[in-house]
Amino acid sequence: MNNPSHDAPPVGAPSDTHRLWGGRFNAKSAAIMDAVNRSIGVDFRLWPFDVQLSKAWAVALQHAGVLTAEERDAIDVGLDAVGVRLAAGESPIDSDEDIHTMIDRLLHEEAGAAASKLHTGRSRNDQVATASRLWTIDACARLDAAIRELQLVLLTQAEPLQGAILPAYTHMQRAIPVSAAHWLLSHFWPLERDRLRLAAASRGTSTLPLGSGAVAGCAFPISRELLKGALGFNTLSANSIDAVADRDFVAEVIFVCALMATHLSKLAEDLILYGSSEFGFVKFGDGYSTGSSMMPQKRNPDALEIARGSAGRVLGDLVSLMGTLKGLPSGYNKDLQDDKRAMFGAVDTMLLVLPAVAGAVSELTFDTVRMRGAVSSGMMATDLADYLVEQGISFREAHKAVGSLVRQCEETGLELHTLPRSAFASAHTAFGDDVYDALSPQRSLERREVEGGTGPDAVRVQIEQARLALTPAGDATGREGALFVGRRP
Ligand code: ARG
């Protein structure tokens, strides 16, 4: 589930020489205990953030008088060297329970005695919470960019389709004609809401837990304000017990991913359906389709099907996390170690699926003749009733009169526009000679210039709003500035 490039390299030579705990134990822990406890296979990817926060922590310890300038310097240089080694693919060893332990071990190799002072006043509890938040803020920005890319592709495809007409469906039955651009953009706005939710989740994540220690707060006079500034957080956590166990930010980001996956699933389902021979509204490109090992004629929309299927997996990640959180007592509990498995799984999935869907959409071609051919005059029945309303008839009476015409169509096999003038006259005396004009799909669209409607001008405005939403300066709701705050410096 996790992107292999983020996972830890294979575990190297066995050694239990470096542990962050163990003084109070007489015997070695059981091998299976080490195996079940080890999280480095999942949390390895936190290393850039752990190095970053450790550097900030060393500065805080120096200000608090715990480290000398020389010691702080040795740690700083040592952490840089550790970063270089990790970036180069340094492998964990058996005693590296998690990434925090591994970095501590490497720092001892690089910085010697000074390294032993770095863990003063901090715990892996506030450390992992801080590193995870830094990772999450970064992930939100990456997700935002991937969503924008898909939105841009949708917008680019929608623009030339403004004049194309296809049926809109309710209950999967042909309902009323709409502009093809209007249909495609109906998939743009849910993604815009996802970006807003992500920005809110990112802001919520930007609360610094570091300085909370294991659960009661740090006993040394470190400046949390200084840490906040150095790490680019917006606010300080107000309660250390809450801070070490708060995984709301994980739940929120996975929820946004799950909802976004549902939006992608709906888009994929529309396209898969419209790409079938029965509909024939869209054609899939080569780059994002696959063939069949048996049936030579097949061109299957696999990228879209995988996107649709992924929604189930990401929902599973959300349920998995909520199941872990439910029932925990306050303070840090080791169950929380599993939060990263769920979050990395959800984010990795979305970062894979979003560009795949964007690619598949960018390669679509649209058969506007097939679209138009699916629009029958029966779909203008509402417009016909509205025609009578415009003659002063109540909608209820108009609905009934048009209903009788539709019944005649069913009985005779005719379409509304092929019924004789006399049929209209006997359905209602208010029908005039211009009744056939009410059955034009183009006219049906033009009557819907209400904001957010499918009228040509309304769709033009919508396209402007969509374009504005993608500009860095703001979006359609008038929001200003960059979406993300509290990003690491
Ligand atoms: N690997 C742990 C996690 O991800 C780090 C925190 C461990 N804390 C502890 N007290 N054992 O949650």
Side-chain angles (χ1 to χ4, degrees):
M1 187 190 294
N2 292 330
N3 182 339
S5 67
H6 295 301
D7 291 341
V11 172
S15 159
D16 59 359
T17 52
H18 195 95
R19 274 197 163 154
L20 298 181
W21 51 273
R24 54 104 63 231
F25 291 92
N26 287 324
K28 285 179 62 169
S29 50
I32 192 66
M33 174 58 205
D34 289 341
V36 82
N37 196 32
R38 188 177 297 126
S39 61
I40 196 156
V42 173
D43 61 30
F44 183 80
R45 67 170 77 186
L46 291 180
W47 73 258
F49 306 100
D50 201 69
V51 167
Q52 187 192 3
L53 74 87
S54 291
K55 291 175 82 143
W57 186 247
V59 175
L61 286 179
Q62 185 194 341
H63 282 251
V66 175
L67 293 178
T68 64
E70 294 69 38
E71 287 168 331
R72 208 274 310 186
D73 214 41
I75 288 174
D76 200 61
V77 172
L79 283 168
D80 282 339
V82 169
V84 169
R85 283 171 69 177
L86 287 164
E90 179 92 18
S91 294
I93 60 173
D94 269 4
S95 65
D96 292 336
E97 182 184 316
D98 54 25
I99 187 58
H100 320 291
T101 310
M102 181 176 181
I103 289 174
D104 195 77
R105 175 177 63 80
L106 296 179
L107 182 62
H108 277 80
E109 291 175 15
E110 295 294 334
S116 295
K117 296 190 172 182
L118 178 62
H119 211 59
T120 309
R122 79 173 180 182
S123 155
R124 278 181 297 163
N125 297 355
D126 57 348
Q127 200 178 337
V128 73
T130 304
S132 297
R133 282 175 186 264
L134 286 169
W135 184 91
T136 302
I137 292 166
D138 184 65
C140 286
R142 286 186 287 137
L143 283 167
D144 179 73
I147 303 169
R148 277 173 61 102
E149 193 53 43
L150 173 56
Q151 287 180 293
L152 191 63
V153 169
L154 284 168
L155 180 58
T156 307
Q157 287 282 33
E159 281 192 272
L161 290 175
Q162 288 175 70
I165 300 179
L166 85 171
Y169 298 82
T170 64
H171 309 267
M172 210 51 235
Q173 305 286 314
R174 288 176 181 174
I176 296 182
V178 291
S179 149
H182 195 53
W183 156 66
L184 213 45
L185 288 173
S186 74
H187 293 286
F188 177 99
W189 299 106
L191 295 170
E192 182 61 13
R193 295 194 294 275
D194 290 333
R195 289 208 302 131
L196 286 168
R197 281 184 200 97
L198 211 49
S202 180
R203 275 194 296 277
T205 307
S206 191
T207 293
L208 179 76
L210 201 58
S212 299
V215 67
C218 177
F220 296 89
I222 48 103
S223 165
R224 295 190 72 209
E225 282 294 338
L226 184 144
L227 288 167
K228 183 184 92 174
L231 296 172
F233 279 86
N234 277 348
T235 51
L236 296 179
S237 56
N239 181 306
S240 60
I241 306 172
D242 175 40
V244 292
D246 173 11
R247 295 296 183 272
D248 291 3
F249 68 103
V250 182
E252 283 179 22
V253 169
I254 303 181
F255 170 72
V256 177
C257 286
L259 190 57
M260 191 196 323
T262 307
H263 295 148
L264 294 190
S265 178
K266 183 188 283 189
L267 167 63
E269 173 61 10
D270 261 11
L271 294 175
I272 293 164
L273 205 57
Y274 292 1
S276 66
S277 309
E278 284 70 16
F279 281 79
F281 298 167
V282 304
K283 285 195 170 43
F284 309 118
D286 284 353
Y288 294 84
S289 306
T290 64
S292 157
S293 58
M294 185 179 185
M295 299 167 281
Q297 85 282 11
K298 292 300 290 294
R299 175 195 287 271
N300 298 326
D302 290 35
L304 298 169
E305 293 169 274
I306 285 165
R308 189 176 55 189
S310 296
R313 196 144 50 85
V314 178
L315 174 63
D317 291 325
L318 179 62
V319 173
S320 148
L321 178 81
M322 297 305 288
T324 300
L325 298 182
K326 180 208 152 302
L328 287 185
S330 62
Y332 176 84
N333 294 274
K334 198 57 175 273
D335 319 41
L336 291 172
Q337 178 161 283
D338 247 357
D339 63 345
K340 289 172 282 301
R341 198 185 298 275
M343 169 130 89
F344 296 164
V347 172
D348 288 351
T349 301
M350 296 320 295
L351 287 175
L352 207 52
V353 161
L354 280 162
V357 173
V361 173
S362 76
E363 280 200 346
L364 291 175
T365 49
F366 297 87
D367 189 336
T368 54
V369 175
R370 285 287 298 237
M371 289 178 178
R372 180 65 181 76
V375 176
S376 53
S377 57
M379 291 172 57
M380 270 66 76
T382 310
D383 296 285
L384 204 55
D386 290 351
Y387 168 100
L388 287 179
V389 168
E390 278 159 12
Q391 315 301 312
I393 312 302
S394 76
F395 185 73
R396 177 170 290 265
E397 190 180 326
H399 191 284
K400 197 168 161 214
V402 175
S404 77
L405 289 166
V406 171
R407 196 176 56 240
Q408 280 181 57
C409 286
E410 272 184 7
E411 285 163 6
T412 58
L414 293 171
E415 294 269 3
L416 275 179
H417 71 288
T418 55
L419 283 177
R421 173 74 181 81
S422 56
F424 288 98
S426 55
H428 205 289
T429 51
F431 278 125
D433 288 337
D434 58 350
V435 63
Y436 293 99
D437 295 345
L439 296 173
S440 145
Q442 185 60 36
R443 180 135 180 253
S444 173
L445 262 66
E446 285 163 4
R447 295 184 62 239
R448 290 173 169 79
E449 289 291 14
V450 66
E451 300 93 325
T454 194
D457 287 339
V459 171
R460 253 190 296 283
V461 169
Q462 185 184 167
I463 283 176
E464 276 312 306
Q465 289 173 327
R467 197 174 291 129
L468 190 63
L470 295 182
T471 62
D475 72 355
T477 63
R479 188 187 40 175
E480 279 178 16
L483 282 180
F484 292 99
V485 286
R487 212 178 318 201
R488 63 203 168 93

